[in-house]
Amino acid sequence: DIGAMVMNGYSIEMILEEASKRNRYQYSVIRKAQKQDAILCVCQKGFQTADKIKDLLEVSLPKGTPLVILTAEYDHSEEIKISSIFAGKYNILFTAGTTDPNISETDFISIEEIIENHNIKKMNSYLKPIMNENEITQFNQNIIRNFSLDNLIKYLTILNPEIIVNNVEGIIADIEEKLKLKIQSKTKVGLYIHISCLIERILINKSAITYDHLEEFIATQQDFIKIVQDSLHKIEGIYNVKIPLEEIGHLYDYIQSDSVKNKEDSVYDPNDLFQD
């Protein structure tokens, strides 16, 4: 403003007078809102495991930890929505669950990794700003106790954990043999939880969860469907249930999307587990 008046040939008196009239300076300080630290437990819609995982994490936290555990169910179309719902109010340290929702800028730690004590250092790094070393040690000890496979299945399901674990072990071994696949340890842990929970869900609520692209799955994965149906036949008889194709579709996604190592004679392809 002053420079423009100088270039226009105004006198110094006029410049000072006009500048003092036209330029009044004010300021305000807008401080960044302090977001509450949180862990987000997630599960696919219909699986109903997020609340139970939340409960186990809450009882594992040392008393007085300034941290909240949140839950969310999602399907593939709602991943962005989940992020926007919580991002404004909470500082999400990480998400935890059985399946990664791929929420941007948020790391995922699977229940399988927690059970097998993988990524513990990574999880601890998120907790260091809000816990001291003793509290982190206590939290880790509580996690080991509360997130054992037997305890988790007992907590997540109404079924006898010893019986269901033995049955699911046989199912997984049968699927590995027939598909000529070597399923990694952490994926097996997830399948124990996944299959146990789906049996319980069908027992309680006879309706199945939805599965995107079901018609395409049926048309392209007949070999997988037949093998898994044969493998599930025994457990269907034990619990008097019928595993729908939608559930088999989710099992396919779980095995394909996670760490599946093929044997030397496997026909595994990254885009299709069962291409000839």
Side-chain angles (χ1 to χ4, degrees):
D1 186 27
I2 292 173
M5 287 189 284
V6 170
M7 292 182 69
N8 287 326
Y10 288 18
S11 68
I12 189 63
E13 290 84 1
M14 184 175 287
I15 291 173
L16 293 173
E17 182 180 356
E18 291 299 315
S20 65
K21 288 179 182 178
R22 299 199 303 234
N23 296 282
R24 301 295 186 192
Y25 298 101
Q26 298 178 347
Y27 73 90
S28 61
V29 177
I30 301 173
R31 301 188 185 280
K32 185 177 180 181
Q34 185 67 37
K35 296 181 182 180
Q36 186 167 13
D37 293 319
I39 297 171
L40 178 61
C41 299
V42 293
C43 66
Q44 288 180 285
K45 277 193 171 179
F47 281 76
Q48 300 174 337
T49 57
D51 285 331
K52 294 181 178 181
I53 294 170
K54 170 191 173 182
D55 292 344
L56 286 174
L57 282 173
E58 283 182 334
V59 298
S60 300
L61 288 172
K63 289 184 179 180
T65 303
L67 175 69
V68 294
I69 313 292
L70 308 171
T71 62
E73 290 188 345
Y74 73 95
D75 59 29
H76 295 296
S77 64
E78 292 182 328
E79 292 163 4
I80 297 175
K81 182 179 177 182
I82 289 177
S83 180
S84 63
I85 288 173
F86 295 106
K89 188 176 180 181
Y90 298 98
N91 174 36
I92 304 298
L93 303 177
F94 60 88
T95 58
T98 54
T99 307
D100 188 354
N102 297 308
I103 300 173
S104 60
E105 299 181 2
T106 304
D107 283 333
F108 176 76
I109 298 178
S110 69
I111 296 304
E112 303 95 280
E113 290 173 316
I114 294 175
I115 291 173
E116 295 194 334
N117 287 320
H118 293 164
N119 269 339
I120 291 297
K121 288 183 179 179
K122 180 180 178 182
M123 185 165 60
N124 289 347
S125 70
Y126 295 123
L127 299 173
K128 280 184 177 179
I130 57 176
M131 289 186 192
N132 60 41
E133 289 188 12
N134 290 336
E135 289 171 332
I136 289 177
T137 299
Q138 181 185 343
F139 177 69
N140 291 342
Q141 291 172 345
N142 293 342
I143 285 288
I144 291 171
R145 182 179 67 249
N146 294 329
F147 280 82
S148 67
L149 179 60
D150 285 346
N151 185 59
L152 191 61
I153 289 179
K154 180 179 179 180
Y155 193 78
L156 293 178
T157 75
I158 60 173
L159 307 175
N160 182 303
E162 183 176 350
I163 294 175
I164 191 68
V165 166
N166 287 338
N167 287 325
V168 173
E169 184 177 23
I171 291 170
I172 294 172
D174 196 47
I175 290 174
E176 279 187 309
E177 180 181 353
K178 291 177 179 176
L179 298 182
K180 298 180 180 179
L181 296 173
K182 180 62 178 177
I183 302 175
Q184 285 192 357
S185 175
K186 79 181 192 72
T187 310
K188 286 184 181 181
V189 173
L191 286 172
Y192 277 110
I193 298 168
H194 190 97
I195 295 172
S196 301
C197 289
L198 81 83
I199 295 292
E200 177 191 70
R201 188 173 61 253
I202 295 171
L203 281 170
I204 296 173
N205 179 7
K206 298 298 182 180
S207 62
I209 61 175
T210 59
Y211 180 74
D212 295 337
H213 313 300
L214 180 61
E215 292 182 3
E216 180 183 353
F217 171 66
I218 294 172
T220 60
Q221 301 301 332
Q222 281 295 314
D223 289 345
F224 179 86
I225 292 170
K226 178 65 167 60
I227 287 170
V228 173
Q229 284 178 330
D230 290 345
S231 299
L232 293 171
H233 181 70
K234 180 180 177 180
I235 203 167
E236 287 179 326
I238 292 172
Y239 293 104
N240 192 28
V241 296
K242 180 65 178 175
I243 310 298
L245 288 173
E246 290 87 348
E247 301 284 5
I248 295 176
H250 283 290
L251 287 174
Y252 174 84
D253 288 345
Y254 195 88
I255 294 173
Q256 186 187 47
S257 65
D258 207 17
S259 305
V260 180
K261 289 184 177 178
N262 52 313
K263 296 181 180 178
E264 291 182 2
D265 58 343
S266 172
V267 293
Y268 174 71
D269 180 272
N271 299 313
D272 187 346
L273 287 176
F274 315 104
Q275 264 184 1
D276 292 330

